[in-house]
Amino acid sequence: MPASSGLSGEIRVPGDKSISHRAVMFGAIAHGTTTVRNFLPGDDCLSTVSCFQKLGVTIETAGTDVKISGNGLEGLREYSGLLDVGNSGTTIRLMMGLLSGTPFVTRLTGDESIAKRPMNRVTAPLKEMGATIDGRENGKFIPITITGGRLKGISYSLPVASAQVKSAILLAGLQAEGETSITETAPTRDHTEKMIRLFGGKIKTSSNTVVIEGGQKLYGTGVNVPGDISSAAFFLAAGSLVPGSEIILKNVGLNWTRTGILEVLEKMGADFSVMRSSGDTYEPSGDIVVKHSRLKGITIGGDLIPRLIDELPIIALLATQAEGETIIRDASELRVKETDRIETVAGELRKLGAEIETTPDGMIITGGTKLGNGTVTSHGDHRIGMMLAVAGLICKSGIELHDTEAIAVSYPDFFIHLDSLKK
Ligand code: SPQ
């Protein structure tokens, strides 16, 4: 991977991963046909498609177009084998909520990374709602077995800021007797709430609480998925870091619960502008133009963290090139992602010469370090892989990057897009 001297051109980043998962899930449990445009055909979202096909839902995919023929929750059928979610935390956690209320037994499994990720954060509230869930270590780890049955609404305060836990409870709440209310410590992505409304459901949201009434019917609709800001983040960073760059990113999702990366770039002094699309869409979007600039170190923590959690690996790379120190705190959730992203980010970037101290809930990154060549690996984590590929652009003689297949989880065309920007 040779060092780069300026990136220029236009990219349409793929559809948002979180929204693509939810479009398939809600289409599968709605009545009637759902058409999804700009669906992300990445490995994770294809795992969601395959799980619902096994549960008896007719889903036709043609590239980024998906058609789902839903027959309501009653249309789901028991699958006698193991449902495999692959590498996808969103698939397993949201399906656990959904399948807690369906009257059959489901077994869920996943890959080596999913085997290490905690499911008890979902199991605990679902059990409070009356769900029957088993798994290794009392429902903490896969394989998970869910015996669906009657559920009752609960009031639940999320102990961790997690959209996956909130969404799992909402999917169970849709089927529960009475009202389910969820209170968050900090705002997390609200795509599930928006999608419930899009499919004709009712949900009340106030400052930090979401309330849903059980027994609602949803109806098939059209979903237009905006580009994934978490994928755009790698090009926002590449454009900022490589001298002489100017990149245009088209149709990027700009939902406020996801735009923490833009706030960080602004504070670091990045040179970018956002043109919001007009039009009445349920998820806002727009184009972003980014140019190379000098960056400065900042402190990132508190409520901002859930709004940029998946962007912290690439922010760490930006910080190695900024002037001064960057402190990332309140981000212990990074330790339970596809990898322990605090250790994998620090470990791999150190191999290239970065100075990063890890803390229990974040990193302290020394800015202004020259990155040199070296051999690094994604550890099977798509976001680590893409972050390292961007690091390779600013290493004098490039880097050797292993385990790049993982990138297909969220961005199958990543290298094609990157190559198209090289002059
Ligand atoms: O789906 P998965 O594997 O958990 O994916 C990740 C990612 O980097 O793509 C996290 F590893 O994104 C999560 C995100 O971190 C997707 C997500 C969602 O769609 O609801 C929410 C976040 O996770 P959490 O645990 O904070 O709710």
Side-chain angles (χ1 to χ4, degrees):
M1 207 175 295
S4 175
S5 60
L7 301 167
S8 72
E10 189 177 293
I11 285 182
R12 193 165 276 271
V13 291
D16 187 276
K17 176 159 81 72
S18 296
I19 298 174
S20 295
H21 279 301
R22 287 157 171 85
V24 170
M25 291 184 187
F26 282 100
I29 62 167
H31 293 264
T33 304
T34 291
T35 49
V36 188
R37 300 257 175 276
N38 200 33
F39 173 78
L40 166 66
D43 290 349
D44 269 14
C45 298
L46 294 176
S47 292
T48 293
V49 168
S50 148
C51 286
F52 280 94
Q53 285 172 331
K54 288 183 173 136
L55 291 171
V57 183
T58 303
I59 306 178
E60 295 154 64
T61 59
T64 58
D65 285 342
V66 180
K67 185 176 160 204
I68 306 149
S69 306
N71 285 309
L73 278 158
E74 318 80 77
L76 300 181
R77 297 278 166 268
E78 185 166 73
Y79 179 64
S80 55
L82 272 169
L83 286 184
D84 189 348
V85 304
N87 189 247
S88 178
T90 307
T91 309
I92 191 163
R93 295 198 176 115
L94 270 58
M95 287 192 81
M96 284 172 70
L98 177 60
L99 295 166
S100 288
T102 52
F104 50 76
V105 176
T106 311
R107 287 174 209 85
L108 291 157
T109 190
D111 70 5
E112 267 175 49
S113 155
I114 285 289
K116 293 187 205 132
R117 296 178 69 183
M119 299 301 145
N120 50 337
R121 54 182 54 201
V122 180
T123 312
L126 293 176
K127 280 187 173 169
E128 244 184 74
M129 297 178 83
T132 308
I133 305 180
D134 286 313
R136 281 190 300 122
E137 292 187 31
N138 201 22
K140 184 168 181 189
F141 297 114
I142 59 160
I144 295 284
T145 302
I146 303 166
T147 308
R150 287 170 72 97
L151 302 174
K152 61 175 191 307
I154 54 167
S155 284
Y156 194 74
S157 290
L158 292 179
V160 283
S162 164
Q164 291 178 356
V165 180
K166 175 177 63 175
S167 303
I169 303 171
L170 284 173
L171 283 159
L174 260 179
Q175 306 165 68
E177 209 180 295
E179 207 173 74
T180 296
S181 144
I182 308 159
T183 301
E184 305 192 274
T185 47
T188 63
R189 64 193 71 191
D190 62 356
H191 306 302
T192 302
E193 295 91 308
K194 286 189 186 301
M195 208 155 279
I196 288 173
R197 288 197 186 102
L198 187 69
F199 279 81
K202 287 201 178 72
I203 181 161
K204 285 183 258 169
T205 45
S206 59
S207 59
N208 61 346
T209 302
V210 192
V211 181
I212 191 157
E213 187 71 43
Q216 298 191 46
K217 259 191 169 184
L218 301 177
Y219 297 93
T221 186
V223 184
N224 203 351
V225 182
D228 198 326
I229 192 166
S230 297
S231 297
F234 297 101
F235 291 104
L236 289 170
S240 301
L241 290 175
V242 179
S245 295
E246 177 165 349
I247 305 174
I248 304 166
L249 298 164
K250 301 293 283 181
N251 185 36
V252 180
L254 295 173
N255 178 319
W256 177 84
T257 60
R258 299 284 299 282
T259 51
I261 176 70
L262 300 182
E263 287 165 40
V264 160
L265 285 171
E266 197 174 339
K267 278 194 203 139
M268 292 182 92
D271 182 354
F272 70 99
S273 57
V274 180
M275 283 138 298
R276 287 182 177 267
S277 306
S278 53
D280 203 16
T281 55
Y282 75 111
E283 289 276 0
S285 62
D287 300 339
I288 306 177
V289 182
V290 62
K291 294 182 193 162
H292 169 257
S293 56
R294 286 168 68 96
L295 302 173
K296 54 180 188 289
I298 60 168
T299 295
I300 305 165
D303 284 6
L304 187 56
I305 295 293
R307 297 178 52 231
L308 48 63
I309 186 76
D310 297 337
E311 287 64 79
L312 287 168
I314 193 68
I315 289 172
L317 173 66
L318 286 168
T320 65
Q321 303 308 301
E323 198 185 310
E325 193 175 75
T326 292
I327 300 172
I328 298 172
R329 57 165 78 110
D330 306 319
S332 56
E333 275 294 297
L334 285 178
R335 294 201 179 273
V336 289
K337 298 295 180 186
E338 283 82 329
T339 55
D340 175 339
R341 286 181 177 162
I342 293 179
E343 298 306 330
T344 46
V345 165
E348 294 309 302
L349 286 178
R350 277 183 201 134
K351 288 183 191 167
L352 302 175
E355 285 174 44
I356 304 181
E357 187 191 320
T358 63
T359 62
D361 68 347
M363 290 171 248
I364 301 168
I365 303 151
T366 304
T369 48
K370 276 236 167 335
L371 299 186
N373 55 329
T375 301
V376 286
T377 168
S378 75
H379 293 267
D381 183 333
H382 54 130
R383 303 216 187 270
I384 303 299
M386 288 185 274
M387 179 275 286
L388 291 169
V390 176
L393 299 171
I394 52 166
C395 290
K396 256 213 185 117
S397 44
I399 60 164
E400 193 175 318
L401 173 57
H402 289 238
D403 238 349
T404 52
E405 320 76 60
I407 292 172
V409 154
S410 62
Y411 203 155
D413 289 338
F414 175 74
F415 286 111
I416 296 172
H417 286 182
L418 185 55
D419 286 345
S420 76
L421 296 173
K422 289 180 183 166
K423 289 175 190 164

